[in-house]
Structures are given as structure tokens and as C-alpha cells.
């Protein structure tokens, strides 16, 4: 259970039992890659999903669940069929849009989370190996983010000071 949350950077560590030849241990960065043991509910969910897709990417749900099951550092996957980088009507093409898990991460842009190119390639290789057809053109990408500008007016309930609450 202690692996659910990483050790913070700069924490003082000690060996058990103490080793006389080692003076000190330091942790300059937060830990990563630890996973807690699987609970009973998570086990039955994982097994049921595995029995359903049988490690074959046939429909949209299969693509998404296979990626989420094999890559726990991915938070969400959206499978978009019949689309390519140049056309929204491209039969035989499948696009996977992946969003990383942001919890317990240090150096991420919270407004534009993205997965590294190495991990995208790893996901592509994994899913490509489990395709039942050689004629599927698979792409794995980060989402495209659009900036929007919002303009609105706020009305306060009667009895609240507009000078105080308007500046919050």
C-alpha cells in the first residue's frame, strides 16, 4: 500500500538494519514506477476485461482497454476510427488519443498534458502486435488542445458586498 504515493524529493532515508559502511542516503527526486498490490475488485475487473477482448483489438472498447490495462501511466484513451491526420473519412485508419496520468507527476504541464514520443511509440508497438488484421493503419497521438477565451458577467445575490466579493 505504501507504493501508492511516491516518496517526495529530499527525504532522508535510512537502511534497515543499519549498514556501517554507508554514511547517508538522499533522494534528490521523487520516486516513480511503484504500484500497489492489486485489490480484489481491480483483479476481477481486469480479468473480465481480458476475457472480453482476449488481447485482440477488434472494436473501439478493445483498443482503449488494452492500452489502459498495459500502461497504468495512461489516464484516458480515446479511439477514433476511420480518421487519419489528413482526413476524417479514411477507412482502415484508427487513431488513439492518449492522456497521461497526472497524479504523482512532477514535471508536467497541467493545462496541456502530453505523453512522450517514446511512450507513444511503445503504445503503438504494443497495439500493433495485437491487431487481428494487417490492413489497419494505426496512429497514436497526444490530444490537440485549443485555447478558448471566455467573457462573462457575474451577478451577486442581494445582501453581498460587490466590492468585497467582486475581487475574489
Amino acid at each position: 500500500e505504501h507504493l501508492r504515493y511516491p516518496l517526495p524529493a529530499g527525504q532522508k532515508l535510512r537502511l534497515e538494519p543499519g549498514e556501517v559502511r554507508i554514511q547517508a542516503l538522499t533522494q534528490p527526486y521523487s520516486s516513480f514506477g511503484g504500484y500497489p498490490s492489486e485489490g480484489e475488485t481491480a483483479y476481477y475487473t481486469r480479468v473480465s476485461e481480458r476475457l472480453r477482448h482476449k488481447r485482440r483489438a477488434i472494436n473501439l472498447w478493445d483498443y482503449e482497454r488494452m492500452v489502459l490495462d498495459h500502461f497504468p501511466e495512461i489516464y484516458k484513451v480515446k479511439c477514433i476510427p476511420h480518421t487519419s491526420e489528413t482526413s476524417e473519412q479514411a477507412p482502415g485508419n484508427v487513431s488513439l488519443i492518449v492522456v497521461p496520468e497526472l497524479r504523482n507527476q512532477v514535471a508536467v504541464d497541467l493545462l496541456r498534458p502530453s505523453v512522450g514520443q517514446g511512450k507513444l511509440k511503445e503504445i503503438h508497438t504494443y497495439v500493433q502486435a495485437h491487431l487481428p488484421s494487417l490492413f489497419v493503419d494505426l496512429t497514436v497521438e497526444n490530444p490537440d488542445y485549443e485555447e478558448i477565451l471566455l467573457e462573462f458577467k457575474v451577478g451577486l445575490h442581494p445582501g453581498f458586498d460587490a466590492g468585497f466579493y467582486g475581487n475574489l
Side-chain angles (χ1 to χ4, degrees):
E1 192 61 33
H2 68 281
L3 295 174
R4 185 175 304 277
Y5 304 104
L7 292 173
Q11 183 173 353
K12 297 287 184 183
L13 304 172
R14 60 186 169 89
L15 294 175
E16 301 237 355
E19 178 66 40
V20 221
R21 293 176 286 179
I22 297 177
Q23 300 271 330
L25 290 173
T26 58
Q27 182 162 342
Y29 303 105
S30 296
S31 64
F32 60 91
Y35 299 104
S37 60
E38 187 176 41
E40 187 175 341
T41 305
Y43 169 76
Y44 284 116
T45 302
R46 180 179 58 83
V47 169
S48 298
E49 290 175 355
R50 177 74 176 267
L51 287 172
R52 178 175 171 183
H53 61 69
K54 297 178 182 65
R55 292 185 72 174
R56 292 177 298 191
I58 305 281
N59 60 26
L60 307 178
W61 187 90
D62 296 340
Y63 283 94
E64 294 170 359
R65 294 296 163 211
M66 285 177 62
V67 171
L68 290 174
D69 183 43
H70 195 264
F71 298 96
E73 62 272 14
I74 301 298
Y75 171 70
K76 188 176 266 303
V77 180
K78 183 66 179 170
C79 182
I80 306 172
H82 309 300
T83 58
S84 66
E85 294 177 359
T86 57
S87 174
E88 291 184 7
Q89 296 178 353
N93 289 292
V94 175
S95 297
L96 291 177
I97 311 299
V98 294
V99 177
E101 176 69 63
L102 296 180
R103 287 181 287 187
N104 303 329
Q105 299 296 322
V106 179
V108 295
D109 184 2
L110 295 177
L111 299 177
R112 293 175 179 262
S114 61
V115 176
Q117 291 298 319
K119 186 58 69 177
L120 292 176
K121 181 69 174 163
E122 192 177 331
I123 293 170
H124 183 275
T125 304
Y126 174 74
V127 174
Q128 190 75 38
H130 294 93
L131 290 176
S133 172
L134 299 175
F135 301 106
V136 174
D137 187 16
L138 177 70
T139 58
V140 182
E141 308 170 358
N142 284 308
D144 291 332
Y145 296 101
E146 282 188 30
E147 293 184 19
I148 59 172
L149 180 63
L150 300 175
E151 186 175 320
F152 51 90
K153 295 181 182 180
V154 176
L156 298 175
H157 290 288
F160 290 96
D161 183 21
F164 177 76
Y165 290 103
N167 294 329
L168 294 179

